[in-house]
Amino acid sequence: MERREFLKVCTAGAAAAGGLAPAALAADSRPHLYQRTLLVDAKGAPLRTKAIPAARNLIFHYPYASTPCFLLNLGKPAKASAQLKTVDNQPYEWRGGVGAARSVVAYSAICAHKLTYPTRDISFISFRAETSARNRHGNVIHCCSEHSQYDPAEGAKVVAGPAPQPLASILLEWDAARDEIFAVGTLGGEMFNEFFAKYEFRLALEGDSAPRRPVQERTAVVELENYCKQQVKC
């Protein structure tokens, strides 16, 4: 899809969800466009959708150097459309996955409840294919902090727990001819301002002198198990 067409679809979809003209929508219900960023593998080569393993946690940073995101291959097509709302009740429409099977999706990895996120040391939030005593749904993004659970096949809508809204979706643009993926923006309730207000000082102590630094032309995608030392399961 051409970039111009892609952006038109995103804007039109968000407007249609509430039956309002784009100018009348609150900011969180419209696509937020950032740098068009190519997703690359650990060696710097473009990441191909056909090379993304199913049901595995992959992580990259976007749209800022310190804001982590999940990249997931669901192993089957995501729902083609989902009608969702932000915490302030603003509607938006999520338009499904990308790739030949429309199974590749991406979301902010900042939990919408208490801003839990994967760090280099530990992650309390991740995709879980299996069920457990605290995760009866399976195939959800589960935050162990307060057991918020999000369905990545339906726009990361909340299916359990106290989270007040879905995870923000990362808008992906897929070049079918090259099988390349670009992150181009977000859709839904961003938590970046709250994230920086809560964690910017800690990020600086951990060595990130510019956590609000925008991601540029490329961002690396890595396995979560290679990114952080420990994953908490619940």
Side-chain angles (χ1 to χ4, degrees):
M1 181 181 289
E2 293 290 339
R3 177 169 168 77
R4 184 178 302 172
E5 294 179 13
F6 173 83
L7 299 183
K8 285 181 179 178
V9 168
C10 289
T11 305
L20 301 172
L25 290 171
D28 277 349
S29 64
R30 295 179 293 176
H32 294 191
L33 302 181
Y34 294 93
Q35 169 75 41
R36 183 176 184 261
T37 301
L38 177 68
L39 273 56
V40 300
D41 63 22
K43 296 182 179 179
L47 183 67
R48 314 295 184 187
T49 60
K50 62 185 179 183
I52 301 173
R56 295 289 296 273
N57 283 283
L58 302 181
I59 198 164
F60 64 100
H61 287 81
Y62 186 84
Y64 302 103
S66 62
T67 51
C69 307
F70 290 122
L71 181 72
L72 301 171
N73 177 1
L74 302 176
K76 60 182 179 180
K79 188 174 181 180
S81 175
Q83 304 296 328
L84 304 168
K85 290 184 178 181
T86 63
V87 66
D88 57 352
N89 210 36
Q90 295 299 320
Y92 63 97
E93 182 180 14
W94 181 75
R95 300 296 296 273
V98 301
R102 299 189 64 83
S103 62
V104 176
V105 297
Y107 299 101
S108 171
I110 300 170
C111 182
H113 182 223
K114 290 191 174 181
L115 308 181
T116 298
Y117 71 103
T119 74
R120 288 288 185 178
D121 290 320
I122 195 167
S123 179
F124 288 88
I125 182 171
S126 63
F127 174 79
R128 315 286 171 79
E130 68 281 358
T131 59
S132 69
R134 301 303 299 265
N135 179 19
R136 62 184 179 84
H137 295 281
N139 294 308
V140 295
I141 296 171
H142 189 153
C143 180
C144 293
S145 294
E146 297 288 342
H147 300 291
S148 292
Q149 296 170 43
Y150 308 88
D151 186 351
E154 296 195 36
K157 74 175 184 179
V158 180
V159 294
Q165 66 176 16
L167 296 175
S169 174
I170 305 300
L171 294 172
L172 299 177
E173 178 184 324
W174 179 52
D175 184 329
R178 296 175 178 269
D179 194 20
E180 295 177 351
I181 318 166
F182 298 84
V184 298
T186 69
L187 180 65
E190 291 185 349
M191 304 296 293
F192 301 138
N193 288 336
E194 295 87 346
F195 176 81
F196 288 126
K198 185 172 183 178
Y199 294 120
E200 191 163 17
F201 181 70
R202 187 174 88 179
L203 291 167
L205 290 177
E206 292 172 349
D208 192 340
S209 60
R212 295 177 186 255
R213 180 174 71 257
V215 171
Q216 297 301 313
E217 288 81 9
R218 293 175 171 234
T219 186
V221 179
V222 297
E223 295 259 6
L224 181 60
E225 62 188 31
N226 295 330
Y227 176 78
C228 69
K229 297 175 182 177
Q230 180 183 1
Q231 293 183 54
V232 175
K233 299 291 185 179
C234 52

